[in-house]
Amino acid sequence: MKTRIETFIRILIVVAYFISPDSKIFCQDTKKAELSLGIGFPEALNIGFKYQIKQSQVGVSFGYWPGDPDSFLFDFNYAVSLCGDYYYHFGNKPKYPDLNPWYARVGLNCWLLDWGSDIEPYLNIPLRIGRNFNFSPKSGFSLDGGVLFVV
């Protein structure tokens, strides 16, 4: 039974990744550091931090997704996500920040699913392309999408 659930979750992860872009709301406290709150896949409901180096950024995020052991789709107790990402920004110079609005993103993500009796790890590599939309020099949101490789 557990192998069917594992297979179903892996298929769901790949399908959901194709149809649901990640969106983040960010605020820049300094010119180089960025704090973000977001919801997406595979990051779940997350809080993150990015640091800018020229037209690149490195970031980490921590996410959580509640489960319901009695449901069909999310039949785990909870899921925890830990991500590390590298962003390379390109495109035309934007109006507000000094980062170009378009970016390519690669990362390493670890999902931990709590089944009650054990915790099951999933390691995956997301590859994405996205864009920042800025409201002001210190606020905006990002949308990105791409493919996910389960390791």
Side-chain angles (χ1 to χ4, degrees):
M1 182 67 173
K2 191 75 145 195
T3 58
R4 284 185 177 173
I5 292 171
E6 288 174 6
T7 303
F8 177 74
I9 286 179
R10 289 180 184 189
I11 292 169
L12 176 68
I13 286 172
V14 172
V15 170
Y17 195 78
F18 279 111
I19 62 174
S20 66
D22 175 45
S23 60
K24 294 187 181 234
I25 299 171
F26 58 88
C27 57
Q28 294 179 323
D29 294 331
T30 69
K31 211 168 180 166
K32 302 284 183 191
E34 184 177 298
L35 181 65
S36 66
L37 300 172
I39 183 168
F41 188 81
E43 294 89 357
L45 299 167
N46 67 75
I47 184 165
F49 174 80
K50 291 187 250 179
Y51 186 77
Q52 179 184 343
I53 305 163
K54 297 183 183 179
Q55 287 299 313
S56 297
Q57 288 180 306
V58 290
V60 295
S61 67
F62 174 77
Y64 173 83
W65 193 264
D68 181 4
D70 298 325
S71 75
F72 172 72
L73 194 56
F74 298 109
D75 59 344
F76 46 83
N77 290 334
Y78 64 87
V80 174
S81 171
L82 182 61
C83 299
D85 292 302
Y86 172 76
Y87 300 74
Y88 178 75
H89 290 260
F90 58 92
N92 296 333
K93 198 78 169 147
K95 181 179 178 182
Y96 292 117
D98 58 351
L99 272 176
N100 295 333
W102 289 94
Y103 58 87
R105 177 179 172 188
V106 64
L108 185 62
N109 176 272
C110 180
W111 258 52
L112 299 173
L113 298 178
D114 180 358
W115 297 101
S117 60
D118 63 337
I119 295 178
E120 196 169 356
Y122 289 94
L123 192 62
N124 45 66
I125 299 171
L127 301 174
R128 297 177 169 180
I129 189 163
R131 189 178 195 294
N132 290 332
F133 299 91
N134 298 296
F135 304 127
S136 72
K138 293 189 178 193
S139 66
F141 71 97
S142 299
L143 289 174
D144 59 35
V147 295
L148 176 77
F149 298 98
V150 178
V151 181

